[in-house]
Every structure is written in structure tokens, then in C-alpha cells.
Amino acid sequence: NRTAKSITKLAGLYRFCLNDSSVILTLREELEFTRSFIEVLQIRFGDKINFEWEIDESLYQCKVIKMCIQPLVENSINHGLKGKFYNGTIGIYVFKDSEGLHLEVEDNGVGLTSGEIMQTNHSLQNRTVSPKNNVGLRNINERIKLVLEDFVSFGAPEEITYLSKPHIGSDN
């Protein structure tokens, strides 16, 4: 039964959010939470949204901030794929390079203009409220800054950078 399956999955998501007060967890745990969230979405949307995963499994034990990927997936659905009723694709990519660990969520949705991108990134960098609000992005960005302030004693802590092209999609 679809309803029972949805309720069971949602209950698991709430338990994850409420029971564990940890702010930092492993990438594996964060990905498991995100996969559970996506399973709920797939019950709702069926095959209208496709998900692509490219995860370097050697990074599973890396520490990440709790709920740093799921809100980006939700943002892609609510904003990036808004109005796209079929063939929506969301890609979740995790890799490491000389700059550090990268967690990327991309979609093939409507995208943003260069002005909207500049406004969003300015809002995130300066901790201001933008007209579009960007609540999910701001929350993740603030948690990154708060957690990393304890670990980074020089320079600016890492933060979200928002990239997009009109009619092509977004990359968080």
C-alpha cells in the first residue's frame, strides 16, 4: 500500500531528524537519509523525476554536516524542476579534489539568470535575506559557517556557491 509505505518512510525521516542531536555525521549516514527522502519522493512522483548518483565510496567515512544534501534535493524539486512535469533529473555528486570535499546537487530544470545567481550568492555570503528567501540554502550555509568556525581559525569558512544557467538547470 502506497500510503503505508509513505508513512513508514516519513516516520524514519522524522526519527533521524529528532532522535540524533549530532550536528556532524558520516557521509554514508547523510546519503542514507537523503536516499530515504528520495524514496518518499518517488512514491509521490513515480518516474517523473530521475536521480543520478556519482559518489566516491572511499569518502563514505568523511564527516559532513547533518542535513546538508537533502535540502538541496528538495530545493531542486521545489524550484529547479518547478513546472517540469516529466523527465526531471537531479544529480547528486560527491568527490574530493585538491580544494577539498565537494557535495553537488544538480538539476535540469529552469535555471536562473546571471542576476538571480549573483543576488543569491551575495545573500548567502553576506547572511542577508534575499527577495526569493532561499531559506533552505541559507540554513545549510549558516550551519556550515557555525560548525566550521570551531575548526577554521584562518580565512573564511566554506560555504555554498550557487551556479545556474537559464533553461538548463542549477548546481548547488
Side-chain angles (χ1 to χ4, degrees):
N1 176 324
R2 206 172 116 161
T3 304
K5 187 175 181 182
S6 294
I7 291 169
T8 301
K9 291 289 180 188
L10 285 171
L13 293 173
Y14 286 124
R15 274 193 302 279
F16 176 84
C17 294
L18 299 174
N19 289 345
D20 187 2
S21 62
S22 301
V23 177
I24 304 286
L25 44 92
T26 66
L27 175 62
R28 178 186 304 276
E29 292 168 316
E30 178 65 16
L31 291 171
E32 287 172 1
F33 174 73
T34 302
R35 282 188 179 100
S36 294
F37 176 74
I38 288 172
E39 288 172 7
V40 171
L41 294 175
Q42 288 174 320
I43 294 169
R44 178 179 174 197
F45 293 109
D47 60 358
K48 293 177 184 171
I49 301 175
N50 299 306
F51 293 90
E52 296 176 353
W53 298 81
E54 288 183 26
I55 313 294
D56 180 345
E57 293 179 9
S58 70
L59 303 174
Y60 278 164
Q61 294 308 310
C62 287
K63 300 295 184 185
V64 297
I65 295 172
K66 184 178 184 177
M67 291 186 64
C68 62
I69 299 174
Q70 177 274 330
L72 298 176
V73 171
E74 187 171 359
N75 190 67
S76 285
I77 290 167
N78 292 338
H79 302 289
L81 299 179
K82 187 176 184 178
K84 192 166 192 159
F85 299 108
Y86 60 92
N87 294 329
T89 300
I90 296 174
I92 300 161
Y93 310 102
V94 181
F95 60 94
K96 190 173 185 177
D97 64 15
S98 61
E99 295 178 9
L101 182 67
H102 295 264
L103 308 173
E104 295 183 357
V105 176
E106 295 180 1
D107 64 66
N108 67 341
V110 295
L112 297 175
T113 66
S114 59
E116 290 170 319
I117 295 164
M118 285 176 42
Q119 185 176 21
T120 299
N121 284 327
H122 183 267
S123 170
L124 291 171
Q125 292 165 359
N126 296 301
R127 297 178 174 182
T128 59
V129 177
S130 75
K132 291 186 83 172
N133 289 330
N134 302 310
V135 174
L137 296 176
R138 269 200 342 263
N139 285 342
I140 298 167
N141 205 47
E142 286 301 310
R143 283 187 285 128
I144 289 170
K145 288 179 179 188
L146 287 171
V147 170
L148 291 183
E149 281 176 354
D150 294 336
F151 299 105
V152 180
S153 58
F154 57 91
E158 295 299 319
E159 57 192 22
I160 291 177
T161 303
Y162 196 85
L163 307 171
S164 181
K165 294 178 185 167
H167 312 294
I168 293 177
S170 298
D171 181 9
N172 299 298

